[in-house]
């Protein structure tokens, strides 16, 4: 199953995802950064995979 969103609580990781071209979705949860998981985009080793989560749940 494809996961539609990427979330992180780390602001540095969120910055790297933005720079990689991922579209951020405003979140109602303070400190939670949510991005659309565009299957066409790939991120490099500069993003620590332990600081991101793939999910189908959108937190608003």
């Amino acid at each position: 199953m494809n996961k539609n969103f990427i979330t992180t609580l780390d602001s540095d990781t969120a910055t790297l995802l933005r720079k990689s071209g991922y579209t951020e979705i405003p979140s109602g949860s303070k400190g939670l950064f949510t991005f659309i998981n565009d299957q066409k985009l790939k991120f490099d080793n500069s993003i620590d995979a332990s600081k991101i989560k793939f999910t189908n749940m959108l937190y608003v």
Side-chain angles (χ1 to χ4, degrees):
M1 176 181 350
N2 291 336
K3 302 293 183 175
N4 296 317
F5 305 104
I6 299 171
T7 61
T8 185
L9 296 171
D10 183 65
S11 62
D12 292 333
T13 301
T15 299
L16 290 171
L17 287 167
R18 281 186 217 101
K19 287 181 180 179
S20 295
Y22 286 89
T23 303
E24 186 172 6
I25 301 171
S27 173
S29 300
K30 185 174 179 153
L32 178 67
F33 304 94
T34 304
F35 297 85
I36 296 173
N37 185 12
D38 183 345
Q39 300 294 324
K40 297 174 190 163
L41 294 174
K42 304 292 181 202
F43 48 84
D44 59 22
N45 292 334
S46 66
I47 296 176
D48 184 352
S50 69
K51 294 184 179 181
I52 61 173
K53 179 181 176 185
F54 295 91
T55 183
N56 279 324
M57 295 173 59
L58 181 60
Y59 303 94
V60 291

